Amino acid sequence: MKAIPVEAGLILAGVLFMLGLISVLIRRNIIFMLISVEIMLNAAGLAFIVAGARWGQPDGQVMFIFILTMAAAEVSVGLALILQLYHQLQTLDGDAANKMKG
Amino acid sequence: MELTFYIASAIAVLSTIMVITRYNMVHALIYLIISFLAIAIVLFVLGAPFIAALEVIIYAGAIVVLIIFVIMMLNLRDETVEQERSWLTKDIFIFPAILSAILLAEVIYIISLGEHTMLDQPSIDSSAVGMSLYGPYVIGVELCGILLMSGIVGAYHLGRQKKKIVHRFLEHAEQ
């Protein structure tokens, strides 16, 4: 019933990862950089799912759940850091954090 | 079934392109939700219905809502859109995009060199995932618990505002 080649799923994961990587490289707004990291983590999880579906084993889905947990913890700590940065510096510029002086 | 996969993949890629080119943060988040929903359809077609539900609930639900709450707390005005427009110019875009596209072309070439197989395995339901999660991977579940707890403690500690000292003697002593 399903006749999807493995390459199509892996290429989709690669394209999504590349888009997230471009966004991390070009953005200066620190919230956008966090969003891009979420896109990249999601693409990595998609590659795990494709690999798990190739052999019909649940291990890929287990790894996706671990990635999901890590992404949730990362985004909560990252957003708390962004809040502190904005209160200290009144800007969302990622380059401004080198002027913190301890 | 395979047509669903290709349409959802195209929507995911297009909406992700819209995410990385928006100037307004809220518009980018709306496109991000569309991208996550399309990826959820892809996961469902690939035979992972439980993971598709988790993608909708946690990524499109919890994480995006968390970012929206922070944007509301920061109380950003219209100047931030103009600032973003000045930061994200075309000439910044081009060079990283070319380099990443070269890397992607290499990855696609390497993937296409391998054996050509079809994804024709039956779909894996949530009970198989649960048996695997609490069987051989139970140490990973415990590590995830520790990670989440340290995440909660870290987010609370970092997000706390410095308490202001109201007593005047203590204020003098602080200075």
Side-chain angles (χ1 to χ4, degrees), chain B residues 125-142:
Chain B
D125 57 346
S126 56
S127 76
V129 178
M131 290 301 284
S132 183
L133 197 60
Y134 286 96
Y137 287 102
V138 69
I139 187 76
V141 176
E142 291 173 4

Side-chain angles (χ1 to χ4, degrees), chain A residues 3-62:
Chain A
I4 302 157
V6 180
E7 294 85 34
L10 288 178
I11 287 170
L12 173 65
V15 169
L16 289 175
F17 193 90
M18 184 205 70
L19 289 172
L21 181 65
I22 290 176
S23 186
V24 169
L25 289 175
I26 63 175
R27 291 279 185 183
R28 280 179 72 184
N29 192 324
I30 198 161
I31 293 183
F32 272 113
M33 291 168 83
L34 198 69
I35 293 172
S36 319
V37 171
E38 291 303 314
I39 295 172
M40 288 163 74
L41 284 173
N42 201 14
L46 179 62
F48 269 110
I49 295 291
V50 173
R54 162 68 178 78
W55 279 282
Q57 296 294 320
D59 304 89
Q61 305 194 17
V62 171

Side-chain angles (χ1 to χ4, degrees), chain B residues 87-105:
Chain B
W87 281 348
L88 190 65
T89 50
K90 286 272 189 304
D91 49 338
I92 292 177
F93 228 108
I94 292 170
F95 196 55
I98 290 173
L99 290 182
S100 306
I102 292 170
L103 285 179
L104 179 72

Side-chain angles (χ1 to χ4, degrees), chain A residues 31 35 79 82-83 86-87 92, chain B residues 24-27 29-30 61-77 80 161:
Chain A
I31 293 183
I35 293 172
L79 285 173
I82 287 173
L83 277 180
Y86 190 74
H87 282 130
L92 285 174
Chain B
N24 195 326
M25 219 175 283
V26 180
H27 297 173
L29 279 173
I30 301 293
I63 291 179
V64 173
V65 167
L66 202 62
I67 298 175
I68 285 178
F69 276 151
V70 167
I71 290 172
M72 284 158 67
M73 276 178 78
L74 292 181
N75 201 11
L76 301 173
R77 291 170 297 278
T80 51
Q161 304 292 326

Side-chain angles (χ1 to χ4, degrees), chain A residues 85-99:
Chain A
L85 197 72
Y86 190 74
H87 282 130
Q88 301 267 341
L89 302 173
Q90 300 298 319
T91 179
L92 285 174
D93 189 358
D95 297 344
N98 60 357
K99 303 186 187 98

